[in-house]
Amino acid sequence: MNGTHGIRRVGVCGAGTMGAGIAQVCAVAGFPVVLYDAFPEVLPKAVARIEQDTERQVQRGRLRAEERARGLAYLSTTSDLGSLSGCDLIVEAAPEDLALKQDLFGKLAATAPEAILATNTSSLSVAEIASTTPRPERVAGLHFFNPAPVMALVEVVRGPQTSPEVVDRLVAFTQALGKTPIVAQDSPGFVVNRVNRPFYSEGLRLVGEGLADCATVDRAAREAGGFRMGPFELMDLVGVDVGYAVSRSFHQAFFGEARFRPHPLQRQMVLSGRLGRKTGRGFYDYQQPPPEPPALPTPHPHPGPYGVAGATPFAAELAARLRQGGFEVVELAEPPDGPLSVAAVFEAEVEDRNRKRAFLVALDRHLGEDAVLLAACTNASAAECASWTRRPGRVAGYVTLPPLADRRLLEWTSHEAAQADPTPYLAALGLPLLRIGDAPGGVFPRILAAVVNEAAFAVAEGVASPQDVDLAMRLGVNHPYGPFEWAERVGVRAVAGVLEGLRDYYGEERYRTAPRLKRACWLGRWPEP
């Protein structure tokens, strides 16, 4: 297994879950592996875990019996650091403690001076870890995802002094393992952990502000967004304490940047000992059988006719969907200047707040007294939309992003002065209805916009290419699409509109639009890196 990487023998430091998983991947791929741990009693447990996991893979048809036997034969263990002296690559998988890793790397550099030294850290600086070695150009990050035998992605992290040759060799080696590498710069969180921070933080803000409960946020993320798990389900799985520690680390590493500010709810959960699945209680109670999610209402739709107001691609999609449902539709590409005889109007200006206001003012003036005005609350709250009209009681909001074919529910909202029940009219779109509190962006559009924005910041800072960011988010955290793919799918101007609405509503720098995303809106495409 030489290939172009020149790596023949691999050492792995640390026989915990990640270390054992990395050793297993390397051995099964045909590399002789020395698994080291300073505590000898840990090693037999690690080998037993590898034996059990590879046996399960054979039983499931994912691994041939002869490949398993060969892999186990390639695996050896040691508690003597000197046994790693003949390794071409040593992968460190010790606990996330900077002082511990620095001490270990200093010893490894003396033990195997010609070896490439790679850290599996997910949050610490490669540069700081490399600082205790005489040859920092031979130190890089090799960040596997848990469980290493299953997850396809590996982040190859280039430190400020890592040589291009070492990066190239690690990329080739990762490919020889059957994994998919991306190259990332040494920046806090690298790609996946950084770009995915808003997935958690926006969920926490929604719950903290009383706009939705945990189950509602998670349901919207899954059924409106297509995420495999919602943010609170995922935080409970990873560990609430782990997430809180990572949030604090990011906030510190970015010198207090508002986008990474931890939420008080995280601290409260940790102090109360509700750490997630591992303690039986987190945002959910795992000591009780999981409750069945309540069925979402799907009212009988009002017969219409309907208006669709807006000049966006989303407006055209809304009109087409209503017609497919058998409803009569009046399309308005510009604000009306005369009477409009419809039962309800879907306002669909999800990109430009000024045009949204102009449409709502004109619609309110020309609609019949009993007509309902359904505002797209991606970029403005229902209350703000209602404030632009003379009859705010008729205004309610719906929150979604195109294409509607991707959605399995429709978020909707209302405001304190609302009088009309909008649900029979919203039901005309043929989606179950999930009610949320009133703020721009709802749940899914808000989370998505923040993730896309963070990806745009990261690419502009040279952390990784847009293509690698998209690949990393699909493989590393199972997002349906990468953030740049997703922005193209829903429309970059619609994404920017969500951020504009949030920034105007909260008055916070946290929601400032990344310059790269602004340029994409101006140019109609993503600018070159």
Side-chain angles (χ1 to χ4, degrees), residues 36-96:
Y36 162 84
D37 201 284
F39 300 95
E41 66 274 13
V42 172
L43 294 167
K45 298 176 183 177
V47 172
R49 189 159 55 243
I50 292 170
E51 290 174 342
Q52 292 168 3
D53 190 63
T54 52
E55 177 60 30
R56 280 195 298 270
Q57 290 188 30
V58 171
Q59 293 172 357
R60 295 170 181 172
R62 298 174 182 172
L63 186 68
R64 295 197 301 270
E66 57 269 26
E67 291 175 325
R68 175 180 184 267
R70 183 192 65 182
L72 294 176
Y74 276 136
L75 179 66
S76 62
T77 63
T78 183
S79 56
D80 175 15
L81 204 62
S83 299
L84 302 178
S85 60
C87 295
D88 304 295
L89 166 67
I90 301 174
V91 182
E92 166 271 314
E96 289 287 88

Side-chain angles (χ1 to χ4, degrees), residues 170-253:
L170 288 177
V171 167
F173 170 73
T174 303
Q175 292 169 332
L177 297 180
K179 300 295 186 183
T180 302
I182 65 154
V183 177
Q185 295 287 357
D186 183 20
S187 177
F190 314 135
V191 174
V192 172
N193 285 335
R194 173 177 175 176
V195 174
N196 208 41
R197 292 318 302 164
F199 183 73
Y200 308 107
S201 60
E202 291 307 314
L204 287 161
R205 291 204 81 182
L206 284 159
V207 170
E209 294 166 15
L211 295 169
D213 59 22
C214 298
T216 298
V217 170
D218 283 347
R219 190 167 195 171
R222 291 193 313 270
E223 298 182 33
F227 293 102
R228 187 167 295 183
M229 299 178 74
F232 295 97
E233 295 168 315
L234 196 52
M235 282 188 280
D236 272 0
L237 180 64
V238 172
V240 180
D241 54 334
V242 174
Y244 180 43
V246 172
S247 295
R248 295 176 66 186
S249 173
F250 265 87
H251 195 234
Q252 181 179 11

